[in-house]
């Protein structure tokens, strides 16, 4: 009986040691955001969109809701595409991630979009879901203002 108990205990240890906990989830989500930032800054909107659930992302900004993943991509290309100056460079910072469940987390963070015309500051509220082993943004809400306005 003792040998059976030891064998069972030892068979459980590797599973527990490799179970992804909140810190693993936070690190993975932080990496998703870093990858998105890098993609935006090199002008790769599809790479940026890899961080969003496809097709089901809900995207809310400026009092409007985008239709889905493709609608969000179209919005970025339409409003920020064409030239590096129009796109600008984005930086996400001050990220606070709360893991809500093994497959759900909420991120609240700031962003700064630097560009010659209409630089922006704002806050992102993002619901991340772990789908197919990947953390993706299922819901994204942006509250922004012009960076050099008195709103700061």
């Amino acid at each position: 009986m003792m040998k059976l108990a030891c064998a069972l205990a030892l068979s459980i240890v590797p599973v527990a040691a490799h179970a992804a906990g909140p810190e693993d989830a936070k690190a993975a989500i932080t990496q998703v955001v870093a990858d998105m930032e890098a993609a935006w800054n090199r002008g790769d909107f599809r790479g940026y969109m890899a961080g969003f659930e496809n097709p089901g992302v809900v995207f809310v900004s400026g009092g409007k809701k985008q239709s889905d993943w493709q609608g969000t991509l179209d919005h970025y290309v339409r409003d920020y595409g064409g030239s590096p100056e129009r796109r600008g460079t984005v930086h996400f910072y001050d990220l606070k991630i709360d893991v809500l469940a093994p497959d759900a987390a909420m991120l609240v963070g700031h962003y700064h979009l630097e560009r010659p015309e209409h630089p922006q500051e704002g806050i992102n509220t993002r619901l991340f879901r772990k789908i197919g082993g990947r953390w993706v943004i299922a819901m994204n809400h942006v509250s922004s203002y012009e960076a050099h306005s008195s709103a700061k």
Side-chain angles (χ1 to χ4, degrees):
M1 185 68 171
M2 183 63 142
K3 284 184 181 181
L4 178 60
C6 287
L8 285 173
L10 290 174
S11 69
I12 293 171
V13 170
V15 173
H18 295 292
E23 294 309 312
D24 293 328
K26 289 178 182 182
I29 290 166
T30 300
Q31 187 61 55
V32 169
V33 173
D35 292 346
M36 291 173 65
E37 181 177 308
W40 180 278
N41 291 337
R42 69 177 176 268
D44 177 6
F45 292 119
R46 283 196 167 275
Y48 181 79
M49 291 297 298
F52 293 90
E53 181 184 359
N54 186 358
V57 66
V58 175
F59 184 92
V60 180
S61 178
K64 297 176 185 164
K65 184 175 139 182
Q66 300 295 333
S67 59
D68 56 14
W69 189 92
Q70 187 62 52
T72 302
L73 174 61
D74 293 346
H75 153 74
Y76 286 133
V77 171
R78 180 186 64 243
D79 294 352
Y80 298 96
S83 71
E85 293 78 23
R86 190 166 179 219
R87 179 188 73 245
T89 56
V90 72
H91 177 59
F92 298 107
Y93 63 98
D94 194 21
L95 307 179
K96 181 180 183 307
I97 302 168
D98 290 318
V99 178
L100 307 173
D103 67 343
M106 181 69 68
L107 177 149
V108 177
H110 288 90
Y111 77 93
H112 176 81
L113 178 65
E114 187 58 48
R115 56 187 184 163
E117 291 189 35
H118 308 292
Q120 295 176 11
E121 291 281 344
I123 296 175
N124 283 315
T125 305
R126 294 173 161 169
L127 174 64
F128 275 83
R129 298 299 310 267
K130 192 170 189 179
I131 300 172
R134 274 179 70 232
W135 286 99
V136 292
I137 299 166
M139 191 285 305
N140 188 70
H141 182 265
V142 178
S143 176
S144 65
Y145 55 89
E146 281 201 37
H148 304 292
S149 72
S150 59
K152 204 171 185 180

